[in-house]
Amino acid sequence: MKLITDAMAQTEQPAAPAETATAPAAPTPSPAANAPATQTSAGAAGGADANPPPSIPDMMAQLIPIFVVMGIVYILVIRPRARREKTEQESLRNVRRGDVIVTTGGLVGKVTKAIDDNEIELEIAANTRIRLIRTAIASVRAKGEPVKDTPAPAPAKAAKPAPETKAKP
C-alpha cells in the first residue's frame, strides 16, 4: 500500500479550478487508506445513498404527460373507431329484403330473403340466388324499400250460370 501512495504523490496533479485552489496538491494519507479495497455504496457517498428514490411529486410529474398523451389518443383515435364499428355492425344486423349489398368477395346483389340471424339469400343475377353468411357482407350500398308480401292473386273462378227462374205455367 505504501508503494501506491508514494506513486500517487509523485504524479502531477492537473491544474485545479480557482475554487479548489486551497485544497492540498497531493493527497495526504489517511487512516482509511490502509482499509480493505472493498467499499459499500453507503461508504462512497459518505453514509448517504448516492441515488435516492424519487419522491412522489417527482414521479407524478413524470407520469402526467404519459396520461395526457393516452387521453389524446383515446379521444382522437379509439373512440371514433369504436363508434364507426358500432354503426357498421348495426347496419349489418339490420340488413333486410330489398337492400343492395357488397360481399367481401366483391359480389353485388340484392337481398331476397333473410333465412335466419346468420344467413341471408342474395340475388346476384336474374334467377341466380345464393346463400350468404352475414359476416361476409362488406357494406350495405343502398337501403331498399322492403319487398312487400303480396298474396298471390286468387285463381279466376268459373262464372256460375245465372240462376234460372222457373216460370209458373
Side-chain angles (χ1 to χ4, degrees):
M1 289 304 248
K2 179 130 174 67
L3 294 174
I4 294 174
T5 56
D6 290 342
M8 288 176 41
Q10 290 177 0
T11 59
E12 290 185 4
Q13 297 292 327
E19 300 168 7
T20 59
T22 59
T28 58
S30 65
N34 295 333
T38 59
Q39 285 186 337
T40 61
S41 63
D49 286 339
N51 294 326
S55 63
I56 299 294
D58 291 339
M59 288 176 33
M60 292 303 291
Q62 292 174 354
L63 292 177
I64 286 175
I66 294 172
F67 289 135
V68 168
V69 168
M70 288 173 57
I72 291 171
V73 167
Y74 175 77
I75 290 171
L76 295 178
V77 176
I78 297 172
R79 200 170 76 182
R81 185 188 316 161
R83 283 185 182 172
R84 188 172 42 250
E85 287 177 1
K86 185 178 179 183
T87 57
E88 212 171 277
Q89 290 295 324
E90 187 68 26
S91 69
L92 293 179
R93 243 186 318 235
N94 292 331
V95 170
R96 58 185 184 183
R97 288 178 16 176
D99 292 348
V100 177
I101 63 169
V102 178
T103 66
T104 55
L107 296 173
V108 179
K110 184 181 259 189
V111 177
T112 58
K113 182 178 173 183
I115 298 171
D116 59 14
D117 289 342
N118 294 327
E119 293 182 6
I120 60 170
E121 189 173 277
L122 185 68
E123 184 175 12
I124 55 175
N127 295 326
T128 305
R129 295 182 180 174
I130 59 172
R131 290 176 71 167
L132 184 71
I133 298 175
R134 284 186 188 261
T135 57
I137 299 172
S139 66
V140 179
R141 220 181 227 189
K143 291 295 249 181
E145 200 167 307
V147 179
K148 295 183 180 179
D149 288 330
T150 55
K157 295 182 181 179
K160 290 184 181 178
E164 293 180 24
T165 54
K166 293 184 181 179
K168 292 185 181 181

